[in-house]
């Protein structure tokens, strides 16, 4: 039997961690959010150094710059006020602490700009990856800029945008036919989304059968399983193994380290 190909990467503790080509790519929801403050450069670097991809949330400052933050309000994950982040300039947002709330050792970690995240990917990426761009708040002018940034950093093949409106998705495609669009898809809407032809990436909300995965692959679709969310129900080794056996390309999860350990047993 041939041994699986390995992509060697440096782990968080300096050890070598191998991302195996025979496994789906793990995508850390907001980065390594249980080990580091979510949606920050350390959380994303931790994913890349372990061979994981990650999901991030894109918002726009009041002076038109992209930054990465999940909530509309600054309160939960920064030392800022309970006000919408879009009311502030990027320079003002950069003065906030986005790490101390999680652990004092992350004091001084800042809200990242989207360009900082893309530069980090270019610098730290080791082997194939998947970057899920959750479009939370973006202007009409920003749509073209986002496509241009993805092109500039060479991430057209490894990223996709999701959660935006169908109209926004179509405009993305007008700016670049290679810009990939994704979306959550249930078993009930699977055939409809295939016929529609808008999605390049199917973010499945159900455990697919191998036949369903093969169908999507025949149509040239990337097949991911959305298992994001906290709680014991999302740390289910049975489900992790079922979707791996179904032949999916990637798994979005809050627990990528635990899932990888499960697959290696």
């Amino acid at each position: 039997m041939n041994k699986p190909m390995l992509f060697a990467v440096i782990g968080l503790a300096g050890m070598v961690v191998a991302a195996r080509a025979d496994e789906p790519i793990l995508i850390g929801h907001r980065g390594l959010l249980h080990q580091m403050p979510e949606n920050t450069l350390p959380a994303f670097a931790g994913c890349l150094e372990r061979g994981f991809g990650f999901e991030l949330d894109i918002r726009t400052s009041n002076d038109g710059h992209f930054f990465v933050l999940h909530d509309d309000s600054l309160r939960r994950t920064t030392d800022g006020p309970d006000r919408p982040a879009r009311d502030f300039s990027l320079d003002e947002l950069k003065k906030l602490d986005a790490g101390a709330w999680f652990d004092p050792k992350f004091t001084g970690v800042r809200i990242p700009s989207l360009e900082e995240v893309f530069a980090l990917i270019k610098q730290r990426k080791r082997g194939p990856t998947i970057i899920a761009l959750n479009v939370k708040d973006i202007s009409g002018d920003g749509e073209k800029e986002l496509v241009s940034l993805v092109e500039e950093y060479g991430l057209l093949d490894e990223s996709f945008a999701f959660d935006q409106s169908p109209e926004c998705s179509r405009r993305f495609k007008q700016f670049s036919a290679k810009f990939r669009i994704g979306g959550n898809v249930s078993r009930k809407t699977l055939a409809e989304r295939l016929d529609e032809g808008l999605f390049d990436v199917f973010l499945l909300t159900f455990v697919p059968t191998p036949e369903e995965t093969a169908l999507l692959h025949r149509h040239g679709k990337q097949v991911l399983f959305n298992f994001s969310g906290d709680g014991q129900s999302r740390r289910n080794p049975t489900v992790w193994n079922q979707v791996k056996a179904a032949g999916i390309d990637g798994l979005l999860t809050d627990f990528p380290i635990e899932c990888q350990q499960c697959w290696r047993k």
Side-chain angles (χ1 to χ4, degrees), residues 37 71 80 82 111 117 157 177 207 210 216 226 240 251:
D71 296 5
D82 189 13
I111 296 172
V117 178
D157 292 335
V207 176
L216 292 171
N226 187 351
W240 289 339
L251 169 64

Side-chain angles (χ1 to χ4, degrees), residues 161-222:
F162 73 108
D163 264 5
Q164 65 279 349
S165 69
E167 294 75 21
C168 179
S169 294
R170 293 187 182 95
R171 289 192 293 270
F172 282 149
K173 283 292 191 183
Q174 289 174 353
F175 297 133
S176 173
K178 295 182 179 180
F179 187 86
R180 300 200 309 154
I181 302 300
N184 288 305
V185 179
S186 67
R187 179 169 275 126
K188 184 177 179 180
T189 61
L190 182 64
E192 181 181 352
R193 296 287 82 83
L194 263 179
D195 290 341
E196 183 181 56
L198 182 59
F199 288 170
D200 305 289
V201 181
F202 277 57
L203 197 54
L204 302 181
T205 59
F206 63 95
V207 176
T209 65
E211 292 75 21
E212 287 168 327
T213 303
L215 171 67
L216 292 171
H217 283 161
R218 287 197 297 272
H219 283 81
K221 309 301 182 181
Q222 187 172 49

Side-chain angles (χ1 to χ4, degrees), residues 5 12 19 98 137 169 174 197-198 207 236 238 257:
M5 186 185 306
L12 294 176
D137 184 10
S169 294
Q174 289 174 353
L198 182 59
V207 176
N236 190 328
T238 300
I257 294 175

